[in-house]
């Protein structure tokens, strides 16, 4: 596929203007990225959900910038069309603006991402502004922010009170105001998401935020049925690849143990052995 077909940052706002919904999924490795890209996903998010989904941690907090760079590089190599967005992990953008720029720069320069995503409004808006100023596209993330799991008291629905919904709208406006190109809205009431979507010029991408956002994102392992547990109730499963994997691996192990694999005709005789057999036959 030529670079002309590549989805670029400004395309997302154009899609919103045209009323076209945006399809986004997470990816963490080359093979999955190739598959999602072939299927025509618009935005590939190298989420810090990596920590829970791929690395087996209980939260996203242990994910390091080095891990994100490593996985972003793999996803970028497997992607021809989708816009690759990399998450900035915990403590890589909260400490200071210049540190945020340096860290985001690594995801772009070494990881090959076209944009970064960061969680939060208020305190992180300054960092978002500076990133945009230096040419690094920023996707915001509001509502349930997994990096604040301890402060939130768990992975809970957010913005259920009116004042919290107002604060969320103010944060979304602030992110748009400093040049963010989109904002993820996670685990908030559908009506709150609808209002934010109506108010913003930039697209909203929902996850557990109802049907009114400009796009949707899911953790690919959840929607493909690969995740074993901890899958949120709002996830629609479009496949049962976990069960298919277990069945395939059982069949393979059984074949190996009973001698059905490899079967004799599958084994190629080495050329030398063939020549010897022919010579002996003459
Ligand atoms: O890390 C992630 O996968 C995310 C999505 C859930 C939006 O931030």
């Amino acid at each position: 596929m030529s670079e002309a077909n590549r989805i670029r940052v400004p395309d997302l706002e154009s899609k919103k203007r045209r009323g076209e919904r945006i399809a986004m999924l997470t990816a963490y490795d080359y093979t999955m990225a190739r598959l999602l890209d072939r299927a025509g996903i618009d935005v590939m998010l190298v989420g810090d959900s990596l920590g829970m989904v791929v690395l087996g941690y209980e939260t996203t907090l242990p994910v390091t910038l080095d891990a994100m760079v490593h996985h972003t590089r793999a996803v970028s190599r497997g992607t021809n069309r989708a816009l690759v967005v990399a998450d900035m992990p915990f403590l890589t953008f909260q400490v200071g603006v210049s540190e945020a720029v340096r860290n985001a720069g690594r995801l772009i320069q070494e990881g090959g991402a076209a944009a970064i995503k960061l969680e939060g409004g208020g305190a992180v808006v300054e960092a978002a502004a500076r990133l945009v100023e230096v040419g690094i596209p920023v996707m915001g993330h509001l509502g349930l922010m997994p990096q604040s799991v301890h402060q939130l008291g768990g992975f809970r629905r957010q913005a259920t009170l009116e004042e919290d919904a107002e604060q969320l709208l103010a944060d979304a406006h602030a992110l748009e105001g400093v040049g963010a190109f989109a904002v993820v809205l996670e685990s908030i009431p559908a009506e709150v998401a609808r209002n934010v979507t109506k108010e913003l010029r930039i697209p909203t991408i929902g996850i557990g935020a109802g049907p009114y956002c400009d796009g949707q994102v899911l953790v690919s392992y959840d929607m493909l049925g690969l995740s074993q547990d901890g899958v949120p109730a709002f996830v629609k499963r479009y496949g049962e690849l976990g069960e298919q994997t277990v069945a395939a691996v059982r069949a393979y192990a059984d074949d190996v143990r009973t001698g059905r694999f490899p079967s004799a005709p599958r084994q190629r005789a080495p050329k030398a052995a063939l020549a010897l057999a022919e010579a002996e036959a003459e």
Side-chain angles (χ1 to χ4, degrees), residues 73-241:
R73 215 183 276 142
V75 169
S76 299
R77 280 197 295 264
T79 308
N80 284 317
R81 177 183 173 272
L83 180 77
V84 176
V85 179
D87 248 339
M88 293 200 66
F90 182 55
L91 281 193
T92 61
F93 57 97
Q94 297 93 336
V95 176
V97 170
S98 55
E99 211 174 306
V101 173
R102 196 174 304 282
N103 292 335
R106 284 194 62 199
L107 292 166
I108 306 287
Q109 187 176 46
E110 297 172 43
I116 61 87
K117 174 165 85 57
L118 43 76
E119 293 182 10
V124 308
V125 172
E126 194 190 346
R130 184 68 186 136
L131 292 178
V132 173
E133 245 169 40
V134 300
I136 298 177
V138 172
M139 177 179 274
H141 183 151
L142 298 171
L144 171 55
M145 294 176 281
Q147 290 174 18
S148 306
V149 60
H150 296 311
Q151 196 168 42
L152 300 175
F155 295 102
R156 296 164 181 226
R157 206 159 174 69
Q158 298 298 308
T160 50
L161 302 175
E162 204 174 319
E163 69 250 38
D164 295 339
E166 276 167 19
Q167 182 58 52
L168 189 145
L169 179 61
D171 285 338
H173 273 304
L175 287 166
E176 180 177 86
V178 298
F181 69 94
V183 59
V184 167
L185 301 176
E186 180 164 353
S187 288
I188 61 170
E191 283 309 319
V192 176
R194 192 214 281 258
N195 189 35
V196 176
T197 302
K198 188 163 61 78
E199 290 256 341
L200 294 191
R201 185 192 71 253
I202 58 172
T204 59
I205 316 277
I207 172 161
Y212 308 117
C213 294
D214 299 302
Q216 295 290 328
V217 57
L218 285 175
V219 169
S220 52
Y221 279 48
D222 292 349
M223 55 80 76
L224 292 172
L226 281 165
S227 303
Q228 304 291 293
D229 37 42
V231 178
F234 59 75
V235 172
K236 179 170 171 185
R237 285 166 89 103
Y238 288 84
E240 289 302 337
L241 301 198

